[in-house]
Amino acid sequence: MEKPPLPSDEDGRVLAESRSDTALVAADEEGSAGADGPEDDRPAWDSKLQYVLAQVGFSVGLGNVWRFPYLCHQNGGGAFMLLYVMLLLIIGVPLFFMELAAGQSIRQGSIGVWKHISPRLAGIGYSSCMVCFFVALYYNVIIAWSLFYMGNSFQYPLPWEQCPVDMISNQTVKECASSSPTSYFWFRKALDISDSIDQSGEFNPIMTGCLLAAWAIVCLAMIKGIKSSAKVMYFSSVFPYAVLICFLIRGLMLDGAIEGIKYLFYPKLEIWGEVQVWRQAATQVFFALGLGYGSVIAYSSYNPVHNNCHRDAIMVSGINFMTSVLASLVVFVVLGFRAKNIALDCVVANVARMAGMATTGSSEHWWPWFNTSDPKSVTLQDYREWYSQYGSLLGSNLTDCDPDREMSKGVEGTGLAFIAFTEAMALFPASPFWSTLFFLMLLNLGLSTMFGTMQGILTPLMDNFRVLGRHKTMLTVCSCILGFFIGLLFTQRSGNYFVTMFDDYSATMPLIIVVVFETISVAWIYGADRFLDDVEVMLHWRPPVIYRYLWKYVCLLGMVGLLAASLLRMVFKRPTYTAWNHTTGSETSLEYPGWALVMLSMLIIVASLPVPIGYLLSFLRGGQSLPVEEGEIEPPRERYSKCNSAEPELNNHHSPLDEDRNRSRSTFLPLGAEHYRLLPQQEEGEEEEEEDTGL
């Protein structure tokens, strides 16, 4: 059957100015090899395993380790997981499948894919590239931090186990005594952080060197395109799983591990009534799969045309979720052990304080039955049982030493990786070994995601600009050099505050806007049915019709709702950041100054601006044809029809739009030239008659 023509604007121009109006019929097995004919020079994955590892390595990143466990902890444990799985199935998987199918069928990067659907949508791809660039800038700083900590793990005892002593006063450094050894090492030794974003300070030379090393690693891995980065993926994608399993086995042997797991999974279903929880779950689904970055499209564009991308979408999404659950188990096993140790230290301190009381107090009825002369022999259970009966009589001198209080102090991001987790690992036997493993895992998680992010920048540029495609190595090196010099912003004393700003605002809003336009483009402009027809040609079977309704309504409404919630949150709640106060040795929440608000607003605007600019430029061109890029061969203007002797004669006709323009229309799924034949030129009268009949 012939597909309906694309919707026209007021002037009668078709929005997708050079796209298919004719039906696609699956190619014969003998002709399927020809489908890749025009793309013979395009790189390809060496194996399916290589591709899967690349997609998993990109989607499974640091957020799975230090963001997902925190969200579960703060939003109802098991209840949040159920909500996450539901949103993953009805929003995440369909959108992920859509990006995989688009990249694999068109075999272009994000710019080429959306330009293929309509020249007016080319701005979507440029926005994706811009967001990828912003993310790459600060993400490589996190890799630099991991390199710094990994380098400091090769010593015993670990440098963050104890507070340093002031050589002049021969006393513990005040800033460390007011906080903790791990907090002091992170904020003072690693970052040498200022008290606010206004105090920029000088560059941190050690972190600058680590950032240079991080960019050098990325450059060397990406310099030969997917051929070089894919080989690195065999290690960088698999190694984190080996480390997480080792940590889980070791952690389950620790005192307090079971309590930590119970705290994680205890469900609080009433949390479903809060809008904030739905917003956080949807945001986590969105970022966990890497939607909108263009990296998913770039990776899938190197696949064979008939690869089963539907199965890939379900498999990668499932692996991503199970990785998040595995990481959550590891995190809460370790945090449960840490909380139990803090509670035991509290018991020892309180019992020692009681032992120092006057001996006449021993005759009081509230005096404990356990031995106060040996504080370390007192169990947490005995102490808490005694405190529950008599604690109210003692005022505020003693506390109940509840480990749940420590567990309730949710930590995420750098606070989890570089403070809480390092504190727990310092208590492990052979702590340098476990510390080295942990930060090597963070390094590999960061690198595998960084490779995908860079691919989301380089692939669209090389596909869209032939000059850049011919100088792949030079483009990669120049991109990494530019990233390093701009990244120096994050190595000054206030650099951590800029990392927080970029993480919170440079990607969130622009990516949601990008995915909203992607969904509109496929589901409404190109047409969900038309897209499913093309996917059927590609897969040799038709995906379930439920995807049509998910793309057109559920996913689109969900993304618009998420965008509205994010906008309202920014409008009604002034953006803040967490700053370190060296005087009190604690963290405080500060509002961004005026210039910083302008900067974060510009990040959002600059990343989102290519979408309307691309549409406006294409609109101003009007009926002018797009210029042919350097090195690109302009397609012939003859009319083609699908060549299949078994087809009914009716299927060989074109839509009236094609006949009027006397131009060829490319299909969404590129096919080889052998699938078409040149139609004989018709007489003018015949053409008009065909137009009148609508055939």
Side-chain angles (χ1 to χ4, degrees):
M1 294 295 294
E2 184 180 357
K3 297 180 186 177
L6 292 172
S8 303
D9 58 19
E10 294 179 358
D11 299 330
R13 276 192 305 273
V14 179
L15 183 59
E17 298 205 4
S18 58
R19 304 299 164 246
S20 172
D21 286 322
T22 61
L24 279 173
V25 181
D28 304 282
E29 290 299 325
E30 295 83 8
S32 61
D36 299 336
E39 300 290 345
D40 284 340
D41 58 340
R42 188 172 186 80
W45 302 105
D46 291 337
S47 65
K48 182 63 176 285
L49 176 62
Q50 200 177 69
Y51 163 69
V52 171
L53 288 178
Q55 285 286 18
V56 169
F58 169 68
S59 64
V60 175
L62 297 173
N64 298 75
V65 175
W66 67 28
R67 180 67 177 166
F68 184 85
Y70 168 79
L71 291 176
C72 287
H73 170 257
Q74 294 294 96
N75 296 313
F80 179 84
M81 283 193 180
L82 291 175
L83 179 60
Y84 179 86
V85 170
M86 182 181 71
L87 293 177
L88 180 68
L89 292 176
I90 66 174
I91 294 180
V93 173
L95 291 176
F96 192 61
F97 173 46
M98 182 185 75
E99 289 199 355
L100 287 178
Q104 180 175 306
S105 61
I106 301 176
R107 298 175 67 77
Q108 291 282 311
S110 55
I111 297 175
V113 162
W114 308 116
K115 182 187 287 187
H116 185 95
I117 294 179
S118 171
R120 297 184 184 180
L121 303 175
I124 298 176
Y126 286 102
S127 279
S128 294
C129 286
M130 191 67 68
V131 172
C132 279
F133 183 67
F134 286 157
V135 171
L137 290 177
Y138 77 83
Y139 214 87
N140 229 19
V141 178
I142 301 175
I143 295 176
W145 293 342
S146 301
L147 283 172
F148 174 79
Y149 265 81
M150 189 175 71
N152 279 276
S153 298
F154 293 98
Q155 49 185 305
Y156 185 82
L158 292 171
W160 51 81
E161 284 192 20
Q162 298 176 343
C163 285
V165 176
D166 190 341
M167 301 300 294
I168 300 176
S169 62
N170 202 28
Q171 294 181 344
T172 302
V173 175
K174 182 181 178 181
E175 184 179 0
C176 184
S178 303
S179 54
S180 68
T182 51
S183 296
Y184 175 80
F185 186 86
W186 166 242
F187 288 112
R188 187 56 50 215
K189 293 296 184 180
L191 302 179
D192 193 20
I193 199 168
S194 58
D195 286 352
S196 72
I197 197 172
D198 286 314
Q199 304 171 9
S200 59
E202 64 277 0
F203 290 108
N204 185 331
I206 298 178
M207 278 303 165
T208 302
C210 290
L211 181 63
L212 178 61
W215 276 110
I217 294 172
V218 171
C219 184
L220 291 174
M222 298 292 301
I223 203 163
K224 294 296 183 182
I226 64 167
K227 292 295 184 182
S228 56
S229 63
K231 291 180 173 60
V232 181
M233 285 289 181
Y234 282 114
F235 178 77
S236 63
S237 297
V238 175
F239 179 75
Y241 290 96
V243 175
L244 285 174
I245 292 173
C246 288
F247 263 99
L248 181 60
I249 295 173
R250 180 66 183 90
L252 289 173
M253 303 176 186
L254 300 173
D255 189 18
I258 302 302
E259 288 79 359
I261 294 176
K262 289 179 180 177
Y263 198 93
L264 169 64
F265 286 107
Y266 183 77
K268 302 173 185 176
L269 294 177
E270 64 275 8
I271 208 80
W272 280 29
E274 300 181 15
V275 177
Q276 179 74 359
V277 176
W278 286 79
R279 186 189 70 82
Q280 290 183 338
T283 304
Q284 181 62 21
V285 168
F286 184 80
F287 288 107
L289 296 177
L291 300 173
Y293 283 93
S295 304
V296 173
I297 294 175
Y299 275 158
S300 63
S301 71
Y302 299 115
N303 269 334
V305 172
H306 299 296
N307 173 64
N308 192 339
C309 55
H310 182 262
R311 182 176 58 197
D312 295 342
I314 296 175
M315 178 172 59
V316 173
S317 301
I319 292 174
N320 188 294
F321 172 68
M322 295 309 297
T323 304
S324 298
V325 174
L326 175 62
S328 299
L329 286 172
V330 171
V331 166
F332 276 86
V333 160
V334 174
L335 291 184
F337 167 69
R338 172 176 172 266
K340 188 70 171 288
N341 274 273
I342 292 175
L344 289 174
D345 290 342
C346 171
V347 170
V348 171
N350 285 349
V351 172
R353 191 177 296 117
M354 292 166 58
M357 294 181 179
T359 54
T360 55
S362 60
S363 61
E364 297 289 341
H365 69 280
W366 51 263
W367 194 255
W369 56 84
F370 44 76
N371 182 14
T372 59
S373 61
D374 186 11
K376 293 187 177 181
S377 65
V378 181
T379 64
L380 179 62
Q381 183 178 356
D382 285 345
Y383 175 83
R384 296 202 64 208
E385 184 180 343
W386 168 81
Y387 187 88
S388 64
Q389 298 180 30
Y390 305 110
S392 59
L393 304 175
L394 305 177
S396 59
N397 290 331
L398 302 177
T399 59
D400 63 344
C401 300
D402 185 6
D404 285 349
R405 184 185 297 112
E406 285 298 323
M407 290 295 299
S408 65
K409 297 176 182 178
V411 285
E412 63 169 328
T414 54
L416 173 65
F418 300 109
I419 298 177
F421 225 84
T422 52
E423 181 180 335
M425 286 187 299
L427 303 173
F428 281 20
S431 54
F433 169 76
W434 293 105
S435 179
T436 303
L437 268 188
F438 177 72
F439 289 110
L440 186 58
M441 179 192 72
L442 289 188
L443 177 64
N444 280 274
L445 283 173
L447 284 174
S448 58
T449 302
M450 189 67 187
F451 295 155
T453 304
M454 290 297 295
Q455 205 69 55
I457 302 171
L458 300 177
T459 298
L461 293 178
M462 290 187 294
D463 287 343
N464 204 57
F465 302 100
R466 298 299 179 90
V467 175
L468 298 179
R470 288 196 297 264
H471 301 86
K472 183 186 304 181
T473 301
M474 184 62 67
L475 175 64
T476 303
V477 173
C478 290
S479 300
C480 292
I481 292 174
L482 179 63
F484 167 72
F485 280 109
I486 299 179
L488 292 177
L489 170 71
F490 307 110
T491 63
Q492 56 183 340
R493 293 186 62 195
S494 59
N496 185 49
Y497 306 136
F498 287 100
V499 170
T500 303
M501 177 193 293
F502 272 67
D503 188 30
D504 290 341
Y505 299 102
S506 71
T508 307
M509 200 86 66
L511 279 182
I512 297 174
I513 294 172
V514 165
V515 176
V516 166
F517 277 97
E518 286 182 0
T519 310
I520 293 174
S521 302
V522 170
W524 291 96
I525 296 178
Y526 187 79
D529 289 325
R530 183 189 302 269
F531 186 70
L532 285 173
D533 289 344
D534 296 343
V535 173
E536 181 179 5
V537 171
M538 191 165 58
L539 302 183
H540 299 306
W541 60 273
R542 190 174 184 84
V545 71
I546 186 67
Y547 282 110
R548 176 179 184 270
Y549 301 101
L550 290 175
W551 287 330
K552 294 188 71 171
Y553 306 109
V554 178
C555 294
L556 187 57
L557 291 176
M559 298 310 300
V560 170
L562 180 58
L563 178 62
S566 301
L567 283 171
L568 291 174
R569 186 170 179 266
M570 284 191 63
V571 171
F572 292 106
K573 183 180 179 182
R574 183 183 174 96
T576 60
Y577 67 100
T578 302
W580 176 256
N581 189 322
H582 78 280
T583 305
T584 60
S586 61
E587 292 180 301
T588 57
S589 182
L590 299 178
E591 292 184 346
Y592 281 108
W595 65 266
L597 289 176
V598 173
M599 183 176 179
L600 65 87
S601 300
M602 290 302 297
L603 288 175
I604 297 173
I605 294 172
V606 168
S608 307
L609 210 54
V611 176
I613 288 179
Y615 186 90
L616 185 62
L617 289 177
S618 180
F619 180 79
L620 293 177
R621 286 194 184 108
Q624 299 176 10
S625 60
L626 294 175
V628 180
E629 298 168 11
E630 181 183 350
E632 186 175 0
I633 301 175
E634 185 175 4
R637 296 293 181 180
E638 295 91 357
R639 290 163 294 167
Y640 290 87
S641 174
K642 191 67 183 294
C643 183
N644 190 336
S645 58
E647 278 185 301
E649 186 67 33
L650 183 63
N651 284 354
N652 285 336
H653 291 288
H654 296 278
S655 69
L657 290 169
D658 283 327
E659 300 295 342
D660 288 343
R661 283 172 175 74
N662 194 24
R663 66 166 63 170
S664 64
R665 290 195 175 275
S666 61
T667 60
F668 193 80
L669 176 64
L671 294 175
E674 70 274 14
H675 293 276
Y676 297 88
R677 67 167 179 266
L678 184 63
L679 287 179
Q681 294 293 327
Q682 294 175 314
E683 296 296 328
E684 184 177 351
E686 294 177 352
E687 190 171 345
E688 291 175 356
E689 181 181 351
E690 185 181 37
E691 182 176 300
D692 291 338
T693 60
L695 294 178

